[in-house]
Coordinates of all heavy atoms in Angstrom, one line a residue:
K5 N 38.9 -43.7 4.8 CA 37.9 -44.0 3.9 C 38.4 -44.4 2.5 O 37.7 -45.0 1.7 CB 36.8 -42.9 3.8 CG 36.0 -42.8 5.1 CD 34.9 -41.9 5.0 CE 34.1 -41.9 6.2 NZ 32.8 -41.4 6.1
T6 N 39.6 -43.9 2.2 CA 40.2 -44.2 0.8 C 41.3 -45.2 0.9 O 42.1 -45.3 0.0 CB 40.7 -42.9 0.2 OG1 41.8 -42.4 1.0 CG2 39.6 -41.9 0.0
E7 N 41.3 -46.0 2.0 CA 42.3 -47.1 2.1 C 43.8 -46.6 1.9 O 44.5 -47.2 1.2 CB 42.0 -48.2 1.2 CG 40.6 -48.8 1.5 CD 40.2 -49.9 0.5 OE1 40.9 -50.2 -0.5 OE2 39.1 -50.5 0.8
G8 N 44.1 -45.5 2.5 CA 45.5 -45.0 2.5 C 45.9 -44.1 1.4 O 47.1 -43.9 1.1
K9 N 44.9 -43.6 0.6 CA 45.2 -42.7 -0.5 C 46.1 -41.5 -0.1 O 47.0 -41.1 -0.8 CB 44.0 -42.3 -1.2 CG 44.2 -41.6 -2.6 CD 43.0 -41.4 -3.3 CE 43.2 -40.8 -4.7 NZ 42.0 -40.7 -5.5
C10 N 45.7 -40.9 1.1 CA 46.5 -39.8 1.6 C 47.9 -40.1 1.9 O 48.8 -39.4 1.6 CB 45.8 -39.2 2.8 SG 44.1 -38.6 2.5
E11 N 48.1 -41.3 2.5 CA 49.5 -41.7 2.8 C 50.3 -41.9 1.5 O 51.5 -41.5 1.4 CB 49.5 -43.1 3.5 CG 49.0 -43.0 4.9 CD 48.9 -44.3 5.6 OE1 49.0 -45.4 4.9 OE2 48.8 -44.3 6.8
K12 N 49.7 -42.4 0.4 CA 50.4 -42.5 -0.9 C 50.7 -41.2 -1.4 O 51.8 -41.0 -2.0 CB 49.5 -43.3 -1.8 CG 49.4 -44.8 -1.4 CD 48.4 -45.6 -2.3 CE 48.3 -47.0 -1.8 NZ 46.9 -47.4 -1.7
T13 N 49.8 -40.2 -1.3 CA 50.0 -38.9 -1.8 C 51.2 -38.2 -1.0 O 52.0 -37.5 -1.6 CB 48.7 -38.0 -1.6 OG1 47.7 -38.7 -2.4 CG2 48.9 -36.6 -2.2
H14 N 51.2 -38.4 0.3 CA 52.3 -37.8 1.1 C 53.7 -38.4 0.7 O 54.7 -37.7 0.7 CB 52.0 -38.0 2.6 CG 50.8 -37.3 3.1 ND1 50.1 -37.8 4.1 CD2 50.2 -36.2 2.7 CE1 49.0 -36.9 4.3 NE2 49.1 -35.9 3.4
L15 N 53.7 -39.7 0.5 CA 54.9 -40.4 0.1 C 55.3 -39.8 -1.3 O 56.5 -39.5 -1.5 CB 54.7 -41.9 0.0 CG 55.9 -42.7 -0.5 CD1 57.2 -42.4 0.3 CD2 55.6 -44.1 -0.6
Y16 N 54.4 -39.7 -2.2 CA 54.7 -39.2 -3.6 C 55.3 -37.8 -3.4 O 56.2 -37.4 -4.1 CB 53.4 -39.2 -4.4 CG 53.6 -38.5 -5.8 CD1 54.2 -39.3 -6.8 CD2 53.3 -37.2 -6.1 CE1 54.5 -38.7 -8.1 CE2 53.5 -36.6 -7.3 CZ 54.1 -37.4 -8.3 OH 54.3 -36.8 -9.5
G17 N 54.7 -36.9 -2.6 CA 55.2 -35.6 -2.3 C 56.6 -35.6 -1.8 O 57.4 -34.8 -2.2
S18 N 56.9 -36.5 -0.9 CA 58.3 -36.6 -0.4 C 59.3 -37.0 -1.5 O 60.4 -36.5 -1.5 CB 58.3 -37.7 0.7 OG 57.5 -37.4 1.8
I19 N 58.9 -37.9 -2.3 CA 59.7 -38.3 -3.4 C 60.0 -37.2 -4.4 O 61.1 -36.9 -4.9 CB 59.1 -39.5 -4.2 CG1 59.1 -40.8 -3.3 CG2 59.8 -39.8 -5.5 CD1 58.3 -41.9 -3.8
Q20 N 58.9 -36.4 -4.7 CA 59.0 -35.2 -5.6 C 59.9 -34.1 -4.9 O 60.7 -33.5 -5.6 CB 57.7 -34.7 -5.9 CG 56.8 -35.7 -6.8 CD 57.6 -36.1 -8.0 OE1 58.1 -35.4 -8.8 NE2 57.7 -37.5 -8.1
A21 N 59.8 -34.0 -3.6 CA 60.6 -33.0 -2.9 C 62.1 -33.4 -3.0 O 62.9 -32.5 -3.2 CB 60.2 -32.9 -1.4
D22 N 62.4 -34.6 -2.9 CA 63.7 -35.1 -3.1 C 64.2 -34.8 -4.5 O 65.3 -34.3 -4.8 CB 63.8 -36.6 -2.8 CG 65.1 -37.2 -3.2 OD1 66.2 -36.7 -2.7 OD2 65.2 -38.2 -3.9
R23 N 63.3 -35.1 -5.5 CA 63.6 -34.9 -6.9 C 63.9 -33.4 -7.2 O 64.7 -33.1 -8.1 CB 62.5 -35.4 -7.7 CG 62.6 -35.3 -9.2 CD 61.5 -35.9 -9.9 NE 61.5 -35.6 -11.3 CZ 60.5 -35.5 -12.1 NH1 59.3 -35.8 -11.6 NH2 60.6 -35.2 -13.3
F24 N 63.1 -32.5 -6.6 CA 63.1 -31.1 -7.0 C 63.9 -30.2 -6.0 O 63.6 -29.1 -5.8 CB 61.7 -30.5 -7.1 CG 61.0 -31.1 -8.3 CD1 59.9 -31.9 -8.2 CD2 61.5 -30.8 -9.6 CE1 59.2 -32.4 -9.3 CE2 60.8 -31.3 -10.7 CZ 59.7 -32.1 -10.6
G25 N 64.9 -30.8 -5.3 CA 65.8 -30.0 -4.5 C 65.4 -29.7 -3.1 O 65.9 -28.7 -2.5
G26 N 64.5 -30.4 -2.5 CA 64.2 -30.3 -1.1 C 62.8 -29.7 -0.7 O 62.5 -29.5 0.4
K27 N 62.0 -29.4 -1.7 CA 60.7 -28.9 -1.4 C 59.7 -29.2 -2.5 O 60.1 -29.3 -3.7 CB 60.7 -27.4 -1.2 CG 61.3 -26.6 -2.4 CD 61.7 -25.2 -2.0 CE 62.5 -24.5 -3.0 NZ 63.8 -25.0 -3.3
Y28 N 58.5 -29.3 -2.1 CA 57.4 -29.6 -3.1 C 56.1 -29.2 -2.5 O 55.8 -29.5 -1.4 CB 57.4 -31.1 -3.4 CG 56.5 -31.6 -4.5 CD1 56.8 -31.2 -5.9 CD2 55.4 -32.3 -4.3 CE1 55.9 -31.6 -6.9 CE2 54.5 -32.7 -5.3 CZ 54.8 -32.4 -6.6 OH 54.0 -32.7 -7.6
V29 N 55.3 -28.5 -3.3 CA 54.0 -28.1 -3.0 C 53.0 -28.8 -3.9 O 53.2 -28.9 -5.1 CB 53.8 -26.5 -3.2 CG1 52.4 -26.1 -2.8 CG2 54.9 -25.8 -2.4
F30 N 51.9 -29.3 -3.3 CA 51.0 -30.1 -4.1 C 49.5 -30.0 -3.5 O 49.3 -29.6 -2.4 CB 51.4 -31.6 -4.1 CG 51.4 -32.3 -2.8 CD1 50.4 -33.0 -2.3 CD2 52.6 -32.2 -2.0 CE1 50.4 -33.6 -1.1 CE2 52.6 -32.8 -0.7 CZ 51.5 -33.5 -0.3
F31 N 48.6 -30.3 -4.4 CA 47.2 -30.5 -4.0 C 46.9 -31.9 -3.8 O 47.3 -32.8 -4.6 CB 46.3 -30.0 -5.1 CG 46.2 -28.5 -5.3 CD1 47.0 -27.9 -6.3 CD2 45.4 -27.7 -4.5 CE1 46.9 -26.5 -6.4 CE2 45.3 -26.4 -4.7 CZ 46.1 -25.7 -5.7
C32 N 46.2 -32.3 -2.7 CA 45.8 -33.7 -2.5 C 44.5 -33.9 -3.3 O 44.0 -33.0 -3.9 CB 45.7 -34.0 -1.1 SG 44.2 -33.2 -0.3
H33 N 44.0 -35.1 -3.2 CA 42.8 -35.5 -4.0 C 41.6 -34.8 -3.5 O 40.6 -34.7 -4.1 CB 42.6 -37.0 -4.0 CG 42.4 -37.6 -2.7 ND1 43.4 -37.8 -1.8 CD2 41.2 -38.0 -2.1 CE1 42.9 -38.4 -0.7 NE2 41.6 -38.5 -0.8
L34 N 41.7 -34.1 -2.3 CA 40.6 -33.3 -1.8 C 40.7 -31.9 -2.2 O 39.8 -31.1 -1.8 CB 40.5 -33.4 -0.2 CG 40.2 -34.8 0.4 CD1 40.3 -34.8 1.9 CD2 38.9 -35.3 -0.1
G35 N 41.8 -31.5 -2.9 CA 42.0 -30.1 -3.3 C 42.6 -29.3 -2.2 O 42.6 -28.0 -2.4
L36 N 43.2 -29.9 -1.2 CA 43.8 -29.1 -0.2 C 45.3 -29.1 -0.5 O 45.9 -30.0 -1.1 CB 43.6 -29.8 1.2 CG 42.2 -30.0 1.6 CD1 42.0 -30.8 2.8 CD2 41.5 -28.6 1.8
V37 N 46.0 -28.0 0.0 CA 47.4 -27.7 -0.3 C 48.2 -28.2 0.8 O 47.9 -28.0 2.0 CB 47.6 -26.2 -0.6 CG1 49.1 -25.9 -0.8 CG2 46.8 -25.7 -1.7
H38 N 49.3 -28.9 0.4 CA 50.3 -29.4 1.4 C 51.7 -29.0 0.8 O 51.8 -28.7 -0.4 CB 50.4 -30.9 1.5 CG 49.1 -31.5 2.0 ND1 48.0 -31.6 1.2 CD2 48.8 -32.0 3.2 CE1 47.0 -32.2 1.9 NE2 47.5 -32.5 3.1
W39 N 52.7 -28.9 1.6 CA 54.1 -28.8 1.2 C 54.9 -29.8 2.0 O 54.5 -30.2 3.1 CB 54.6 -27.4 1.2 CG 54.5 -26.7 2.5 CD1 55.3 -26.5 3.5 CD2 53.3 -25.9 2.9 NE1 54.8 -25.7 4.5 CE2 53.6 -25.3 4.1 CE3 52.1 -25.6 2.3 CZ2 52.6 -24.5 4.8 CZ3 51.2 -24.9 2.9 CH2 51.5 -24.3 4.2
V40 N 56.0 -30.2 1.4 CA 56.8 -31.3 2.0 C 58.3 -31.0 1.8 O 58.7 -30.4 0.8 CB 56.3 -32.7 1.5 CG1 56.5 -32.8 0.0 CG2 57.0 -33.8 2.2
T41 N 59.0 -31.4 2.8 CA 60.5 -31.5 2.6 C 60.9 -32.9 2.9 O 60.4 -33.6 3.8 CB 61.2 -30.5 3.6 OG1 62.6 -30.4 3.2 CG2 61.1 -30.8 5.0
P42 N 61.9 -33.4 2.1 CA 62.3 -34.8 2.3 C 63.1 -35.0 3.6 O 63.8 -34.1 4.1 CB 63.1 -35.1 1.1 CG 63.6 -33.8 0.6 CD 62.6 -32.8 1.0
V43 N 63.1 -36.2 4.1 CA 63.9 -36.6 5.2 C 64.8 -37.7 4.8 O 64.4 -38.6 4.1 CB 63.0 -37.1 6.4 CG1 63.8 -37.7 7.5 CG2 62.2 -36.0 6.9
Y44 N 66.1 -37.6 5.2 CA 67.1 -38.6 4.8 C 67.7 -39.3 6.0 O 67.8 -38.7 7.1 CB 68.3 -37.9 4.0 CG 67.8 -37.2 2.8 CD1 67.5 -35.8 2.8 CD2 67.7 -37.9 1.6 CE1 67.0 -35.2 1.7 CE2 67.2 -37.2 0.4 CZ 66.9 -35.9 0.5 OH 66.5 -35.2 -0.6
R45 N 68.1 -40.5 5.8 CA 68.8 -41.3 6.8 C 69.9 -42.0 6.0 O 69.7 -42.7 5.0 CB 67.9 -42.3 7.4 CG 68.7 -43.1 8.5 CD 67.9 -43.0 9.7 NE 68.7 -43.3 10.9 CZ 68.3 -43.2 12.1 NH1 67.1 -42.7 12.3 NH2 69.1 -43.4 13.1
E46 N 71.2 -41.7 6.4 CA 72.3 -42.3 5.7 C 72.3 -42.1 4.2 O 72.5 -43.0 3.4 CB 72.5 -43.8 6.1 CG 72.7 -44.0 7.6 CD 72.7 -45.5 7.9 OE1 72.7 -46.4 7.0 OE2 72.6 -45.8 9.1
D47 N 72.0 -40.8 3.9 CA 72.0 -40.4 2.5 C 70.9 -41.0 1.6 O 70.9 -41.0 0.4 CB 73.3 -40.5 1.8 CG 74.4 -39.7 2.4 OD1 74.0 -38.5 2.9 OD2 75.6 -40.1 2.5
Q48 N 69.9 -41.7 2.2 CA 68.8 -42.3 1.5 C 67.5 -41.6 1.9 O 67.3 -41.3 3.1 CB 68.7 -43.8 1.9 CG 69.9 -44.6 1.4 CD 69.9 -44.7 -0.1 OE1 68.9 -44.9 -0.8 NE2 71.1 -44.6 -0.6
L49 N 66.6 -41.4 0.9 CA 65.3 -40.8 1.2 C 64.6 -41.7 2.2 O 64.5 -42.9 2.0 CB 64.5 -40.7 -0.1 CG 63.1 -40.1 0.1 CD1 63.2 -38.6 0.6 CD2 62.3 -40.1 -1.2

């Protein structure tokens, strides 16, 4: 219903997890909590 807003939020979380050492906890636009760890391939996020 939001044309992929959740996907954008999950990607942002992955980027922040990379930035902050491998983990990131966040609230989505619905106020729900998620946490994420980045995935790498050939040393690239």
Side-chain angles (χ1 to χ4, degrees):
K5 291 187 176 198
T6 61
E7 299 174 356
K9 189 171 187 177
C10 297
E11 289 176 347
K12 291 175 186 132
T13 302
H14 296 149
L15 176 59
Y16 177 80
S18 298
I19 293 167
Q20 295 307 306
D22 174 53
R23 180 177 170 207
F24 291 115
K27 56 195 169 295
Y28 186 68
V29 179
F30 61 95
F31 287 97
C32 71
H33 64 282
L34 297 176
L36 301 171
V37 175
H38 299 73
W39 49 96
V40 61
T41 191
V43 169
Y44 300 94
R45 181 131 202 171
E46 298 176 10
D47 295 327
Q48 295 292 318
L49 180 63

